Short mmCIF file of all heavy atoms in Angstrom, two decimals:
data_model
loop_
_atom_site.label_atom_id
_atom_site.label_comp_id
_atom_site.label_asym_id
_atom_site.label_seq_id
_atom_site.Cartn_x
_atom_site.Cartn_y
_atom_site.Cartn_z
N ARG A 2 -13.40 33.57 -7.72
CA ARG A 2 -13.11 33.87 -6.31
C ARG A 2 -11.67 33.54 -5.95
O ARG A 2 -11.01 32.76 -6.62
CB ARG A 2 -14.05 33.07 -5.41
CG ARG A 2 -15.48 33.55 -5.40
CD ARG A 2 -16.21 33.04 -4.17
NE ARG A 2 -16.35 31.58 -4.17
CZ ARG A 2 -16.49 30.85 -3.06
NH1 ARG A 2 -16.46 31.44 -1.88
NH2 ARG A 2 -16.63 29.54 -3.15
N ASP A 3 -11.23 34.12 -4.86
CA ASP A 3 -9.90 33.84 -4.33
C ASP A 3 -9.78 32.34 -4.06
O ASP A 3 -10.60 31.77 -3.33
CB ASP A 3 -9.70 34.63 -3.04
CG ASP A 3 -8.36 34.35 -2.38
OD1 ASP A 3 -7.48 33.78 -3.03
OD2 ASP A 3 -8.20 34.72 -1.20
N PRO A 4 -8.77 31.64 -4.64
CA PRO A 4 -8.63 30.19 -4.44
C PRO A 4 -8.55 29.79 -2.97
O PRO A 4 -9.02 28.73 -2.59
CB PRO A 4 -7.34 29.85 -5.19
CG PRO A 4 -7.19 30.94 -6.20
CD PRO A 4 -7.75 32.17 -5.57
N TYR A 5 -7.91 30.64 -2.14
CA TYR A 5 -7.82 30.32 -0.71
C TYR A 5 -9.22 30.29 -0.09
O TYR A 5 -9.54 29.44 0.74
CB TYR A 5 -6.95 31.35 0.01
CG TYR A 5 -5.49 31.25 -0.29
CD1 TYR A 5 -4.88 32.14 -1.18
CD2 TYR A 5 -4.69 30.27 0.29
CE1 TYR A 5 -3.53 32.05 -1.48
CE2 TYR A 5 -3.34 30.17 0.01
CZ TYR A 5 -2.76 31.06 -0.88
OH TYR A 5 -1.42 30.97 -1.16
N GLU A 6 -10.05 31.24 -0.52
CA GLU A 6 -11.43 31.30 -0.01
C GLU A 6 -12.23 30.10 -0.48
O GLU A 6 -13.02 29.51 0.27
CB GLU A 6 -12.09 32.60 -0.48
CG GLU A 6 -13.53 32.78 -0.01
CD GLU A 6 -14.19 34.03 -0.58
OE1 GLU A 6 -13.45 34.93 -1.04
OE2 GLU A 6 -15.42 34.09 -0.57
N VAL A 7 -12.03 29.71 -1.75
CA VAL A 7 -12.75 28.57 -2.32
C VAL A 7 -12.44 27.29 -1.53
O VAL A 7 -13.34 26.48 -1.24
CB VAL A 7 -12.37 28.38 -3.80
CG1 VAL A 7 -12.95 27.07 -4.34
CG2 VAL A 7 -12.86 29.55 -4.63
N LEU A 8 -11.16 27.10 -1.18
CA LEU A 8 -10.75 25.89 -0.46
C LEU A 8 -10.91 26.03 1.06
O LEU A 8 -10.72 25.05 1.79
CB LEU A 8 -9.30 25.55 -0.78
CG LEU A 8 -9.03 25.20 -2.25
CD1 LEU A 8 -7.54 24.98 -2.48
CD2 LEU A 8 -9.80 23.95 -2.67
N GLY A 9 -11.25 27.24 1.53
CA GLY A 9 -11.49 27.44 2.96
C GLY A 9 -10.24 27.34 3.80
O GLY A 9 -10.28 26.80 4.91
N VAL A 10 -9.10 27.85 3.28
CA VAL A 10 -7.84 27.79 4.01
C VAL A 10 -7.22 29.17 4.09
O VAL A 10 -7.55 30.06 3.31
CB VAL A 10 -6.85 26.81 3.34
CG1 VAL A 10 -7.37 25.39 3.38
CG2 VAL A 10 -6.55 27.24 1.90
N LEU A 19 -3.07 22.03 2.70
CA LEU A 19 -3.84 22.48 1.55
C LEU A 19 -4.38 21.28 0.78
O LEU A 19 -5.54 21.24 0.39
CB LEU A 19 -2.94 23.33 0.64
CG LEU A 19 -3.59 23.92 -0.60
CD1 LEU A 19 -4.48 25.09 -0.22
CD2 LEU A 19 -2.54 24.39 -1.59
N ALA A 22 -7.27 19.68 2.65
CA ALA A 22 -8.51 20.44 2.51
C ALA A 22 -9.14 20.19 1.15
O ALA A 22 -10.37 20.00 1.04
CB ALA A 22 -8.22 21.94 2.69
N TYR A 23 -8.31 20.14 0.11
CA TYR A 23 -8.84 19.88 -1.23
C TYR A 23 -9.44 18.47 -1.33
O TYR A 23 -10.53 18.29 -1.87
CB TYR A 23 -7.73 20.05 -2.27
CG TYR A 23 -8.08 19.42 -3.59
CD1 TYR A 23 -9.07 19.96 -4.41
CD2 TYR A 23 -7.47 18.23 -4.01
CE1 TYR A 23 -9.42 19.37 -5.61
CE2 TYR A 23 -7.82 17.64 -5.21
CZ TYR A 23 -8.79 18.22 -6.00
OH TYR A 23 -9.15 17.61 -7.18
N LEU A 26 -12.88 18.27 0.27
CA LEU A 26 -13.93 18.90 -0.53
C LEU A 26 -14.22 18.10 -1.80
O LEU A 26 -15.38 17.92 -2.17
CB LEU A 26 -13.51 20.33 -0.89
CG LEU A 26 -13.52 21.35 0.25
CD1 LEU A 26 -12.87 22.65 -0.21
CD2 LEU A 26 -14.94 21.61 0.73
N ARG A 44 -19.62 23.52 -7.99
CA ARG A 44 -18.71 23.74 -6.86
C ARG A 44 -17.46 22.86 -6.99
O ARG A 44 -16.36 23.27 -6.68
CB ARG A 44 -19.46 23.42 -5.56
CG ARG A 44 -18.60 23.52 -4.31
CD ARG A 44 -18.55 24.91 -3.77
NE ARG A 44 -17.91 24.91 -2.46
CZ ARG A 44 -16.68 25.36 -2.23
NH1 ARG A 44 -15.97 25.90 -3.21
NH2 ARG A 44 -16.17 25.33 -1.02
N GLU A 47 -15.16 24.49 -9.34
CA GLU A 47 -14.52 25.64 -8.71
C GLU A 47 -13.39 25.20 -7.78
O GLU A 47 -12.30 25.78 -7.77
CB GLU A 47 -15.57 26.44 -7.92
CG GLU A 47 -15.03 27.72 -7.31
CD GLU A 47 -16.07 28.47 -6.49
OE1 GLU A 47 -16.88 27.80 -5.80
OE2 GLU A 47 -16.07 29.71 -6.51
N VAL A 48 -13.65 24.14 -6.99
CA VAL A 48 -12.63 23.63 -6.07
C VAL A 48 -11.44 23.08 -6.85
O VAL A 48 -10.28 23.30 -6.48
CB VAL A 48 -13.25 22.54 -5.16
CG1 VAL A 48 -12.16 21.75 -4.45
CG2 VAL A 48 -14.20 23.17 -4.15
N SER A 49 -11.70 22.37 -7.94
CA SER A 49 -10.62 21.81 -8.77
C SER A 49 -9.77 22.92 -9.38
O SER A 49 -8.54 22.82 -9.43
CB SER A 49 -11.20 20.92 -9.87
OG SER A 49 -11.88 19.80 -9.32
N ALA A 51 -9.37 25.95 -8.19
CA ALA A 51 -8.61 26.59 -7.11
C ALA A 51 -7.37 25.77 -6.76
O ALA A 51 -6.28 26.31 -6.56
CB ALA A 51 -9.50 26.79 -5.88
N TYR A 52 -7.54 24.45 -6.70
CA TYR A 52 -6.40 23.59 -6.36
C TYR A 52 -5.39 23.54 -7.51
O TYR A 52 -4.20 23.33 -7.28
CB TYR A 52 -6.88 22.18 -6.02
CG TYR A 52 -5.78 21.31 -5.47
CD1 TYR A 52 -5.23 21.57 -4.22
CD2 TYR A 52 -5.28 20.23 -6.19
CE1 TYR A 52 -4.21 20.79 -3.71
CE2 TYR A 52 -4.27 19.43 -5.68
CZ TYR A 52 -3.74 19.72 -4.44
OH TYR A 52 -2.73 18.95 -3.94
N LEU A 55 -3.29 26.59 -6.47
CA LEU A 55 -2.57 26.52 -5.19
C LEU A 55 -1.84 25.20 -4.98
O LEU A 55 -0.89 25.12 -4.21
CB LEU A 55 -3.54 26.77 -4.04
CG LEU A 55 -4.29 28.10 -4.06
CD1 LEU A 55 -5.14 28.26 -2.82
CD2 LEU A 55 -3.32 29.28 -4.19
N GLY A 56 -2.30 24.13 -5.64
CA GLY A 56 -1.65 22.83 -5.47
C GLY A 56 -0.30 22.75 -6.16
O GLY A 56 0.51 21.89 -5.84
#
Side-chain angles (χ1 to χ4, degrees):
R2 288 199 294 155
D3 178 14
Y5 288 102
E6 180 184 342
V7 172
L8 296 176
V10 296
L19 181 75
Y23 163 70
L26 288 171
R44 176 86 171 107
E47 184 182 38
V48 166
S49 297
Y52 188 68
L55 302 184

